[in-house]
Amino acid sequence: MAEPHESTIPVDSPRAFFDRELSWLAFARRVLALAEDRELPLFERIKFAGIMGMLHDEFFMKRMSGIKRKMRMWPEKRSLDGRLAEEELVACRAEILDQSDILERVLEQNVRPALAREDLPILAWAELDETARAPLREYFEHSVLPILTPLAVDAEHPFPFISNDALNLAARLPLEEGRGLRFVRIKVPDNRPRWVPLEGGVGYTPLEEIIAANLDLLFPTTPPESVYRFRVTRGAQGEPDASRDLTSEEALREPGSIIRLVSKELKARRFAGTVRLEVDSETPPDLCQWLVSQLGIDDDDLYRSRTLLRLSNLLDLECGNRPHLKLPPHKPRTHARLKALPQAPQAIFDEIRRGDILCHHPYHSFDTSVLRFIESAAVDAATLAIKLTIYRTSKDSPIVQALAEAARRGKQVAVLVEITARFDEAPNIAWGRFLEDEGVHVAYGVEKLNTHVKGPLVVREEGGQIRRCAHVGTGNYHTGTARIYEDLGILTCEPEICADMAEVFNELTGATHRVEYQRLLVAPVTMRRRFVELIRQEAEHARTGREAGIRAKVNQLQDKETIQELYRASQAGVPIEINVRGLCCLRPGVPGLSENIRVFSVIGRFLEHSRIYRFANGGDPAYFIGSADWMKRNLSRRVETITPVVDPTIRRELLEILDVYASDNASAWDADPDGKYRRRQPPSGEPRRAAQEIFIERARSRPPSPAEPEKDMARVDEPAALEV
């Protein structure tokens, strides 16, 4: 333990914190490093390049639009580190431009040449010979041309609405008698593949290249003089409007008004203000300025690209039968205790009664654990009721289908569908209406709070007694992201935890209010207070010479009060280790402030998503897992649950998981006091230890169940959504 130093930075000083937005962009830079990493297989690098495109898109939609809104409405408000919104905007834009330059260089100088060497080039139309062009022109004429709708701008036609995220062509057509040029916008259709394969499977041509080169078929009398590519990113919400205020007392007074209000918000989002205009590097300055003026944006909102636009589509690129271009597929294994279970629906409940079961996804199969738990409950004659929260779920969710089946069988089914989950509002409303039609009791959220709880509860009658079983987890009940998100969950019949879960559901669906819970930490009721007590308790242990220490694995760390408590614990001599995936506003390793705090981050093929908290507790460690990060929104503005872990076997498993992450010497990044992250490298002679590879290898050492589907769990049809 480091000797305490006199602090030169007070715990409430802006210098004690990092800016939230810049810290999140530091996470994006760690992802970018994987796109640069030539030791990774080519299509893994391409995947990370596509994720970078997705990350930047989400950052502009959520964070940059938020900064701009703050500039308009609260120009004097400062961030945690003391920046005005205008200063944040300038700093974020500089970082994004730097990251974009690196990404463009990686794609154009490394990735695309490497694809060409593998006979999978991404070729522009100009790079194709006539033999290759002919079938593409035919494809365009028969499969793309009928979909296109050219929108001209002239005295009779105003500038068209440009939808968010769409890829567009700006065609300039000559007017009669040399009177100048007419602008025509053509939207590249989303219902056609972006990467059109060349005959013989020897590469791809982007769809926009094919359209741009064959517009003479759309404009046979006046072919375009020039064609350029552009794209617009809009904010995640429109301008403030009292009629859409989801926290307004007047708006919420009408029963069931939340669905109407969210539907209005979705419509408003379509027309939200532009926060970014991307153009290809060949677009002439006069056209750029004209687009800027038509969109009503600032010059600084214009971004030029020397590579492909909408890089998130790189996630759709296929390598065919070239396994050497990807990491070996990971096939999750059924948990050892669930392998040999009989097919009878009650079998899983009998096994849970023998003791709690910890599942670590995607290393343990989600389908043969959590999904089986819910599907078994739906058809088991002993099941009386099922309660579940839906925050994000898949398009063809088998969990939703199981809930509908349970209702058809006469079971009481109650579902809290969180329809304010950002970017999942529309599908969640649709799922809620579907479940209502099937006889499920559906609630659509809690007034003024976002419901982020992860936990189905099953009520059964066994031997004439009512018993409850629950799954308390860290991830969404989404069978797609369960293949690429790292998450934890405990299947338990522990009476007090299940009783607390029942109280949480009563609060969610019945609008009741409970002040205390037996075991669970519940936000916004008890969780913040309890975490503060636990941190302060560790400080007291350290001051009195007892065993002290805090280890946490979180997605984000931003809550000011929690960070200040961690600083005070560090000053008391508590060793603190924080494994944080994304943004971290805590400044580690500062003498007198945080010299006992170590922050690191693990980035790999799966998105780290679980939350684990361990407190040394004077030699009797306390463990917790659940849905909440140490973020202000999680602790104060969401309904969240964190469960204590009481089973000694699971406690040992959690300690082992924390130790694997801490000993990672290949995919972990250490945070410096200045906010920069350094990737660990194995010392000479030391074997490589990458946490996710270790977990995969341990899962592979246990043979899969014969009934378990052989899926490549590192790739799914739906890209992972990252909460920014």
Side-chain angles (χ1 to χ4, degrees):
M1 185 186 303
E3 289 295 322
H5 295 76
E6 184 177 349
S7 176
T8 58
I9 302 178
V11 297
D12 57 353
S13 167
R15 292 187 297 142
F17 302 93
F18 293 126
D19 179 79
R20 168 187 170 138
E21 321 305 352
L22 290 172
S23 181
W24 195 91
L25 287 173
F27 160 65
R29 189 172 278 272
R30 299 195 290 279
V31 175
L32 176 59
L34 297 182
E36 295 180 87
D37 188 350
R38 299 195 184 199
E39 293 186 4
L40 283 174
L42 177 59
F43 266 71
E44 299 303 321
R45 298 180 65 196
I46 290 171
K47 178 184 75 174
F48 285 114
I51 291 173
M52 278 301 299
M54 185 171 64
L55 291 177
H56 280 181
D57 290 349
E58 290 196 10
F59 190 83
F60 273 94
M61 285 189 284
K62 294 181 180 180
R63 307 312 311 170
M64 289 291 262
S65 64
I67 294 173
K68 284 177 169 288
R69 190 164 179 254
K70 191 163 65 171
M71 287 171 60
R72 293 191 300 272
M73 301 183 67
W74 306 285
E76 302 304 315
K77 185 176 181 180
R78 294 185 179 272
S79 64
L80 272 179
D81 71 337
R83 296 175 197 255
L84 296 172
E86 185 175 2
E87 295 170 327
E88 275 189 298
L89 185 71
V90 171
C92 288
R93 186 172 188 275
E95 176 63 19
I96 287 171
L97 286 171
D98 189 47
Q99 291 184 16
S100 298
D101 284 344
I102 295 170
L103 187 56
E104 289 171 0
R105 186 168 64 251
V106 167
L107 288 171
E108 295 304 314
Q109 297 180 13
N110 302 141
V111 170
R112 292 184 73 168
L115 282 170
R117 289 192 294 273
E118 294 287 344
D119 291 328
L120 284 172
I122 299 176
L123 297 174
W125 186 266
E127 298 175 279
L128 302 175
D129 58 26
E130 288 304 319
T131 303
R133 289 178 177 180
L136 294 179
R137 184 173 174 87
E138 183 179 353
Y139 168 76
F140 170 79
E141 184 173 8
H142 294 100
S143 299
V144 180
L145 180 60
I147 304 173
L148 301 182
T149 302
L151 297 174
V153 178
D154 53 28
E156 291 82 22
H157 303 92
F159 187 79
F161 173 76
I162 310 297
S163 53
N164 180 51
D165 194 39
L167 195 56
N168 307 276
L169 298 178
R172 289 178 134 180
L173 277 64
L175 294 169
E176 298 81 0
E177 301 174 358
R179 291 187 295 110
L181 297 171
R182 172 185 284 115
F183 171 88
V184 178
R185 178 259 186 151
I186 301 160
K187 181 178 178 179
V188 178
D190 287 328
N191 53 7
R192 300 284 85 182
R194 172 79 185 277
W195 314 112
V196 182
L198 300 174
E199 281 199 343
V202 291
Y204 301 91
T205 295
L207 179 59
E208 64 271 21
E209 286 277 338
I210 299 171
I211 297 173
N214 292 279
L215 286 179
D216 59 298
L217 296 176
L218 184 63
F219 306 106
T221 59
T222 54
E225 179 186 273
S226 55
V227 184
Y228 307 98
R229 295 139 192 82
F230 74 99
R231 180 171 174 255
V232 160
T233 307
R234 295 184 177 274
Q237 61 184 44
E239 287 297 312
D241 180 344
S243 69
R244 299 199 314 268
D245 184 0
L246 303 187
T247 64
S248 163
E249 294 288 349
E250 183 177 353
L252 289 168
R253 196 171 295 152
E254 179 188 340
S257 61
I258 187 70
I259 299 176
R260 174 176 53 80
L261 292 171
V262 170
S263 298
K264 283 187 176 182
E265 181 65 32
L266 289 175
K267 184 176 181 181
R269 185 183 298 165
R270 289 184 54 222
F271 301 95
T274 300
V275 292
R276 178 177 59 170
L277 167 63
E278 293 177 280
V279 299
D280 66 55
S281 58
E282 297 178 358
T283 308
D286 66 312
L287 178 57
C288 290
Q289 288 304 309
W290 185 78
L291 287 170
V292 165
S293 66
Q294 293 297 317
L295 291 166
I297 59 177
D298 298 328
D299 290 343
D300 284 348
D301 296 323
L302 173 68
Y303 293 80
R304 290 182 172 272
S305 175
R306 299 185 300 275
T307 189
L308 300 157
L309 299 184
R310 201 160 74 174
L311 294 178
S312 59
N313 286 149
L314 289 172
L315 293 166
D316 303 324
L317 202 61
E318 294 292 338
C319 67
N321 188 25
R322 295 173 174 84
H324 65 285
L325 298 183
K326 300 191 296 183
L327 291 170
H330 167 57
K331 300 175 178 63
R333 275 28 182 186
T334 297
H335 191 286
R337 285 182 51 195
L338 302 177
K339 271 185 188 176
L341 293 186
Q343 291 302 309
Q346 76 271 13
I348 191 168
F349 301 104
D350 293 341
E351 185 62 31
I352 296 170
R353 276 203 311 276
R354 291 182 54 239
D356 293 355
I357 301 172
L358 176 70
C359 292
H360 193 191
H361 309 296
Y363 314 107
H364 289 139
S365 169
F366 181 87
D367 292 356
T368 59
S369 57
V370 180
L371 179 57
R372 179 173 179 177
F373 174 72
I374 296 170
E375 289 182 333
S376 296
V379 299
D380 184 20
T383 300
L384 302 177
I386 303 174
K387 303 183 180 186
L388 180 77
T389 57
I390 292 177
Y391 191 76
R392 304 189 196 279
T393 193
S394 47
K395 293 178 182 177
D396 54 350
S397 173
I399 288 177
V400 173
Q401 299 298 336
L403 296 172
E405 177 62 24
R408 294 185 203 112
R409 290 173 178 256
K411 304 179 192 308
Q412 293 291 312
V413 183
V415 178
L416 187 291
V417 179
E418 181 48 73
I419 59 171
T420 64
R422 186 68 62 87
F423 301 125
D424 279 86
E425 299 96 335
N428 283 1
I429 290 174
W431 279 128
R433 287 172 172 161
F434 167 78
L435 289 169
E436 284 181 323
D437 290 342
E438 295 294 336
V440 173
H441 304 294
V442 179
Y444 289 95
V446 176
E447 187 172 315
K448 300 183 182 180
L449 296 172
N450 180 289
T451 303
H452 198 241
V453 172
K454 318 294 186 189
L457 180 70
V458 175
V459 182
R460 306 174 76 249
E461 186 173 30
E462 301 175 1
Q465 293 185 332
I466 299 296
R467 297 183 186 275
R468 288 181 285 217
C469 289
H471 175 265
V472 185
T474 66
N476 300 306
Y477 296 98
H478 189 304
T479 54
T481 57
R483 304 171 189 172
I484 53 176
Y485 280 26
E486 177 274 337
D487 269 305
L488 290 164
I490 295 176
L491 292 163
T492 183
C493 289
E494 206 282 328
E496 291 184 344
I497 290 175
C498 290
D500 279 352
M501 285 298 298
E503 293 293 345
V504 170
F505 277 106
N506 289 341
E507 183 172 348
L508 293 175
T509 60
T512 60
H513 181 68
R514 189 174 181 85
V515 177
E516 295 294 339
Y517 292 84
Q518 297 178 77
R519 304 297 295 277
L520 290 183
L521 282 62
V522 180
V525 184
T526 63
M527 188 179 293
R528 177 185 290 279
R529 183 185 77 234
R530 184 64 180 131
F531 271 133
V532 168
E533 290 172 353
L534 287 163
I535 296 170
R536 289 179 178 176
Q537 185 174 277
E538 292 305 309
E540 183 60 25
H541 287 318
R543 281 191 287 264
T544 55
R546 294 189 295 273
E547 184 178 341
I550 299 171
R551 300 178 75 177
K553 181 181 183 296
V554 295
N555 294 337
Q556 329 274 12
L557 173 56
Q558 166 270 337
D559 183 68
K560 182 177 182 180
E561 181 182 346
T562 303
I563 292 173
Q564 289 174 326
E565 292 295 339
L566 292 170
Y567 285 153
R568 295 184 183 105
S570 172
Q571 291 169 342
V574 179
I576 300 171
E577 172 192 284
I578 302 173
N579 175 0
V580 57
R581 181 196 78 209
L583 70 90
C584 177
C585 296
L586 179 148
R587 188 183 292 273
V590 178
L593 177 71
S594 58
E595 71 262 30
N596 290 314
I597 302 179
R598 172 193 178 209
V599 172
F600 68 96
S601 178
V602 171
I603 307 290
R605 67 194 290 183
F606 305 125
L607 181 76
E608 294 292 329
H609 195 249
S610 66
R611 294 89 167 178
I612 309 172
Y613 302 94
R614 180 189 187 273
F615 299 88
N617 194 32
D620 181 20
Y623 290 83
F624 301 84
I625 70 165
S627 61
D629 291 310
W630 278 338
M631 298 277 287
K632 184 176 181 179
R633 68 184 183 191
N634 296 95
L635 299 174
S636 300
R637 298 197 299 268
R638 285 180 169 181
V639 182
E640 304 268 15
T641 53
I642 294 284
T643 183
V645 179
V646 297
D647 186 282
T649 300
I650 293 181
R651 290 184 178 194
R652 287 194 296 271
E653 291 175 4
L654 290 175
L655 179 59
E656 184 178 309
I657 289 170
L658 290 172
D659 286 343
V660 168
Y661 283 116
S663 65
D664 187 315
N665 63 9
S667 60
W669 299 68
D670 289 307
D672 289 334
D674 62 0
K676 293 179 179 170
Y677 285 74
R678 293 173 292 103
R679 189 175 183 178
R680 296 179 193 168
Q681 298 293 334
S684 178
E686 184 173 295
R688 172 186 169 89
R689 295 190 305 272
Q692 293 187 1
E693 294 172 14
I694 291 171
F695 293 131
I696 288 172
E697 188 55 39
R698 290 181 179 181
R700 285 176 179 164
S701 67
R702 298 184 292 268
S705 165
E708 195 170 341
E710 295 289 308
K711 297 177 183 176
D712 180 348
M713 301 308 238
R715 294 182 180 275
V716 291
D717 294 335
E718 302 173 51
L722 298 175
E723 293 186 13
V724 180

